[in-house]
Amino acid sequence: MTEVLQWVSNNLYSFAVISILAYLAVSILVYFFQDIILFRPEKLSREFQFEYEKLDFQEYLIDVKPGVQLSGIRFKAEKPIGVVFYLKGNSRSIKGWGKFAIDFVRYGYDVIMVDYRGFGKSTGIRTQEDIKSDLQIVYDKIKEKVGEHHIVLYGRSLGSGFATKLASSNNPRMLILDAPYYSMSKTTGRYMPFMPMSILLKFPIPTYKWIRYVKCPIHIIHGTSDKLIPFASSIKLATINSSLTRLHTVVGGGHNNLHNFESYHEILSRIFTIDKLEFDKENSSIHFQRRKKK
């Protein structure tokens, strides 16, 4: 009996040691490879030519630091009454995201989009602080041409956190969050509940902390069937700065297909106009299909 207990004790000890080593190994991998997990950039050559049907645009290269440039595009409205600074999601480049500018140009707004570092034609190494700094530089450049009361910040998915940070440090006309997360730590923690993501994550992006300091109207748009970032995250965010926040629901909407719902476009109409514009399907993104992975 003593020998059996000793065998069990030794094996439990070995199992514990192996488990701890495996846990540490996974933690190290998450820490050093999280950029690959969180970001899925599409890189473009400097010679690449952007093309957008039905959109008038101008390309820019913006110097943010010595040796670091951001690739940006300004989509032009015929008689602009303001600017939408659109902060995109974590995948691809403005090559594919640019087509969504049509949903704001129709309301008389120019649209500015930039690629984060390492995306598209943009250069540089990504850190949370650098992305925040880069976007503030772009925002300041927009302010040189347009009064802040004419600037709308629109953050989509990953961009929602950074848009919230910009709004908390500036005074735009309004902030629109499309499928936002409570914090990146909370979102990634759903998929790795056994990992201390608040410690490991280099991009914690605490939207919930920044949103309390936003002083402009806040509009949150979220689909009820979003599997990546649950609708509940928007409900929680909406309660933090509730006097300035309005939550808009797209029933049945997922994470990547809100633009395929008429209700999404009706929400934009309510946000951008006093009188609802007649919905023009041909001049909207409702028919855009997400490109399938090869």
Side-chain angles (χ1 to χ4, degrees):
M1 186 65 177
T2 303
E3 292 178 355
V4 172
L5 291 174
Q6 185 64 42
W7 181 86
V8 171
S9 177
N10 290 338
N11 278 275
L12 284 175
Y13 176 78
S14 298
F15 178 76
V17 170
I18 293 172
S19 297
I20 292 171
L21 291 175
Y23 186 82
L24 290 174
V26 173
S27 297
I28 292 171
L29 288 172
V30 169
Y31 183 80
F32 286 104
F33 292 95
Q34 61 186 262
D35 192 271
I36 298 174
I37 298 171
L38 291 177
F39 299 97
R40 300 194 300 276
E42 172 188 38
K43 297 189 177 182
L44 304 173
S45 69
R46 286 300 176 95
E47 294 73 32
F48 179 83
Q49 298 293 313
F50 293 102
E51 294 182 9
Y52 300 101
E53 188 178 355
K54 300 180 181 179
L55 287 168
D56 182 19
F57 67 94
Q58 183 175 357
E59 181 182 358
Y60 296 89
L61 286 175
I62 306 163
D63 294 308
V64 291
K65 282 187 177 180
V68 179
Q69 288 185 320
L70 297 186
S71 171
I73 295 179
R74 172 192 168 204
F75 297 91
K76 304 175 184 179
E78 186 173 347
K79 295 180 180 179
I81 60 173
V83 173
V84 172
F85 186 14
Y86 188 110
L87 277 60
K88 69 180 196 65
N90 71 326
S91 64
R92 300 169 183 160
S93 71
I94 52 178
K95 169 189 172 184
W97 286 92
K99 61 181 179 287
F100 294 109
I102 196 171
D103 291 329
F104 309 98
V105 169
R106 70 187 295 258
Y107 293 107
Y109 282 80
D110 282 356
V111 179
I112 303 292
M113 289 191 188
V114 296
D115 267 325
Y116 310 121
R117 295 186 182 203
F119 285 75
K121 300 181 185 182
S122 296
T123 61
I125 298 174
R126 286 181 295 274
T127 70
Q128 179 169 299
E129 290 305 311
D130 282 328
I131 292 177
K132 285 160 52 180
S133 174
D134 292 348
L135 295 175
Q136 183 63 56
I137 289 171
V138 176
Y139 187 90
D140 289 340
K141 289 183 179 295
I142 296 173
K143 281 199 304 181
E144 292 174 2
K145 305 293 184 181
V146 181
E148 278 195 277
H149 58 288
H150 292 302
I151 299 175
V152 175
L153 285 170
Y154 188 104
R156 161 89 177 105
S157 192
L158 173 75
S160 64
F162 292 113
T164 303
K165 175 57 181 173
L166 270 181
S168 71
S169 305
N170 299 279
N171 296 287
R173 178 186 169 190
M174 64 176 144
L175 169 67
I176 304 174
L177 303 179
D178 178 340
Y181 43 88
Y182 192 74
S183 74
M184 189 59 72
S185 299
K186 291 284 187 183
T187 299
T188 53
R190 292 180 61 239
Y191 302 97
M192 293 184 172
F194 54 90
M195 304 299 296
M197 299 308 294
S198 59
I199 298 173
L200 295 175
L201 209 59
K202 298 177 185 177
F203 295 86
I205 317 180
T207 310
Y208 71 97
K209 289 184 179 179
W210 297 332
I211 200 170
R212 70 178 70 253
Y213 300 108
V214 175
K215 300 178 288 294
C216 65
I218 304 167
H219 294 275
I220 300 177
I221 308 173
H222 213 132
T224 58
S225 298
D226 192 329
K227 297 296 190 293
L228 183 62
I229 302 177
F231 179 66
S233 67
S234 282
I235 296 176
K236 290 175 65 177
L237 283 176
T239 63
I240 295 173
N241 197 343
S242 59
S243 64
L244 292 173
T245 304
R246 182 171 181 182
L247 177 59
H248 305 270
T249 303
V250 179
V251 177
H255 189 71
N256 295 309
N257 66 349
L258 293 189
H259 62 276
N260 295 134
F261 288 78
E262 284 199 26
S263 57
Y264 167 77
H265 296 278
E266 290 169 355
I267 289 167
L268 291 184
S269 179
R270 291 197 299 270
I271 291 173
F272 282 99
T273 64
I274 297 175
D275 298 319
K276 179 181 173 183
L277 293 183
E278 182 180 349
F279 180 47
D280 181 359
K281 290 185 178 182
E282 295 305 315
N283 290 299
S284 77
S285 63
I286 195 167
H287 295 304
F288 293 167
Q289 296 299 319
R290 183 174 172 82
R291 186 176 63 189
K292 295 182 179 179
K293 295 180 179 179
K294 296 181 179 180

